[in-house]
Amino acid sequence: MKLSEKELEILGVLEKDARIETADLAKMVGLTVEETEAIMKKLENDKVIVKYLTMIDWTKVDDHQGVRAMIDVKVTPKQGVGFDEIAEKIYRYDEVQSVYLMSGTYDLSVIVEGKTLNEVANFVSQKLSTLESVVSTTTHFILKKYKHDGIILEQEKKDKRIVVS
């Protein structure tokens, strides 16, 4: 789908701040509020804008338990459907946050979330590894996020040097 320059501008702004007021967005891209709303509605209907999301740094929330893992999956693709059929089986699990087709040693990269390490391990051993097309998996537990979707999660460290004059 070919998008106009204004549509691309609107998408660029919304990708950085989905909560921006429509009036502010319209001023930024040089359109009226009505024109901007019409473009946004069209992009939503065409499924270019899929969802408006909030990014949360759960490490700042006391008592929030959660474990994320990136799982590399090697699969045997099926005739006629390639990787799509096995990818769909995998992304239908509630634990799965994302599935990507990759180049390189592994075919799929799967992001999984669970309450404990054991819960993620059980998902891999009891659900993922037992799927017919899955040949092997490698699980990497995420220990700390520094940057996510272009957003730096760490607070800037203040310069502790003493000013000398």
Side-chain angles (χ1 to χ4, degrees):
M1 161 184 293
K2 183 83 169 139
L3 298 179
S4 71
E5 187 152 331
K6 291 295 180 189
E7 290 170 329
L8 291 171
E9 267 186 86
I10 288 171
L11 290 174
V13 173
L14 287 174
E15 187 174 38
K16 289 183 176 85
D17 182 7
R19 293 188 66 192
I20 190 169
E21 295 290 329
T22 308
D24 294 336
L25 176 59
K27 284 179 192 171
M28 290 174 75
V29 299
L31 296 172
T32 67
V33 171
E34 294 77 21
E35 291 170 325
T36 304
E37 287 173 342
I39 288 173
M40 290 172 62
K41 189 70 174 164
K42 175 190 175 290
L43 293 170
E44 290 167 0
N45 290 339
D46 292 343
K47 302 291 186 212
V48 174
I49 297 176
V50 180
K51 191 173 190 175
Y52 298 92
L53 300 172
T54 301
M55 184 184 308
I56 300 168
D57 185 354
W58 286 107
T59 62
K60 292 188 168 75
V61 179
D62 291 340
D63 299 326
H64 178 269
Q65 293 181 353
V67 176
R68 278 194 147 197
M70 297 176 76
I71 305 167
D72 297 324
V73 184
K74 188 174 282 210
V75 300
T76 303
K78 289 193 175 178
Q79 185 82 28
V81 292
F83 297 99
D84 295 346
E85 185 178 284
I86 187 65
E88 182 177 350
K89 284 181 184 176
I90 293 170
Y91 70 62
R92 296 257 178 232
Y93 288 114
D94 291 336
E95 298 91 339
V96 174
Q97 302 299 307
S98 306
V99 178
Y100 305 99
L101 179 62
M102 307 295 288
S103 63
T105 306
Y106 290 90
D107 304 306
L108 299 173
S109 182
V110 180
I111 309 293
V112 174
E113 200 168 87
K115 290 181 181 151
T116 63
L117 290 171
N118 198 38
E119 189 175 292
V120 172
N122 285 337
F123 167 78
V124 174
S125 64
Q126 295 172 10
K127 294 180 181 177
L128 185 60
S129 295
T130 60
L131 292 174
E132 183 182 332
S133 296
V134 172
V135 175
S136 66
T137 64
T138 301
T139 302
H140 310 274
F141 287 98
I142 298 171
L143 303 177
K144 184 175 183 178
K145 270 192 214 179
Y146 294 98
K147 187 175 184 179
H148 183 78
D149 284 344
I151 306 295
I152 297 171
L153 299 174
E154 288 287 303
Q155 299 224 346
E156 289 186 35
K157 296 197 173 82
K158 293 186 180 184
D159 192 355
K160 295 182 181 178
R161 295 179 289 179
I162 299 172
V163 177
V164 178
S165 57

